[in-house]
Amino acid sequence: MFDPKDLYELADDAPELHDPVLLYHFDGFVDAGGAGRLALGHLLAELEHRVVARFDVDRLLDYRSRRPIMTFDTDRWVDWESPELAVHAAEDATGTPFLVMNGPEPDREWELFAKAVGELVERLNVSKLVTVHGIPMAVPHTRPLGITAHASRPELISTQSSVFGRVQVPGSAAALLELRLGAKGHDAVGYAVHVPHYLSQAEYPTAAVTALEAVTRGTGLVFPMEKLHEAARRTTTEIEEQIRASAELSTAIIGLEQQYDAFAAGAQKENLLAEATPMPTGDELAAQFERFLAERDEE
């Protein structure tokens, strides 16, 4: 039998916490607009934090699928950027302690990883696990971003109509944590932000804002949001500039707005993923944004 404790190292000075929330996101699975990555990255950049546990990435990752960056200087190798999958302790804007777990999604031993996280959840007295990420949807950026909430218990999320029925999708380590830990009685919640499909490959800070606002509503945690709001405003301005420069793109966005408004009004019974109503594809809209994305990469 493999021991889950072999997968992580707990800091000697790990704090004794009282029912903290654990926010988590892993890079590697679907995250349209970088919603989850930007959200948790923003928190770690804005709040003081310290590592309380590290996972054994040598054991969990396949370096050939995601090769770490190495630095070559003239005639020799001088450095390499080791990936880190860790749990951080932080405090929100009101001084409430919470935890953040982020890093690359494990490539192997998902079941043992879930057991290891379960041990840390019990050791750190976690009251609720919350994950966020983005999913591409046929929605315009000019309307409020929707959210699909899911949880280990229905009572953990507010009543809302879902655009999904019963579906089968490729799995993720984040989803498995919710499934396995929820089965053991731990509260686990997830928020999937609906990101315009033509922006799914770009960094879209508005999606991260929406994700963190959902976390605040679901947990009571309060985060510093000024810089993220500013990044969202700046990105929206750049998007609008691209739209004004293209009549074709403007027409496509209007079509999406009409479809969104019809759905919101209840006139359209099909969900937003259906293709019964003609709509511009993500590829067609993304083609119009190639210059926009290239300019953002340069910045």
Side-chain angles (χ1 to χ4, degrees), residues 140-156:
H141 70 280
T142 52
R143 298 294 185 268
L145 300 185
I147 288 180
T148 293
H150 46 88
S152 55
R153 293 189 295 117
E155 308 92 293
L156 296 174

Side-chain angles (χ1 to χ4, degrees), residues 62-98:
D62 177 3
Y63 289 132
R64 292 178 300 174
S65 66
R66 286 174 290 187
R67 296 180 182 272
I69 299 299
M70 297 185 66
T71 302
F72 184 81
D73 186 359
T74 309
D75 57 2
R76 67 189 184 278
W77 295 104
V78 296
D79 194 18
W80 99 308
E81 298 178 12
S82 179
E84 182 177 73
L85 176 55
V87 179
H88 308 258
E91 293 184 355
D92 76 348
T94 68
T96 301
F98 70 101

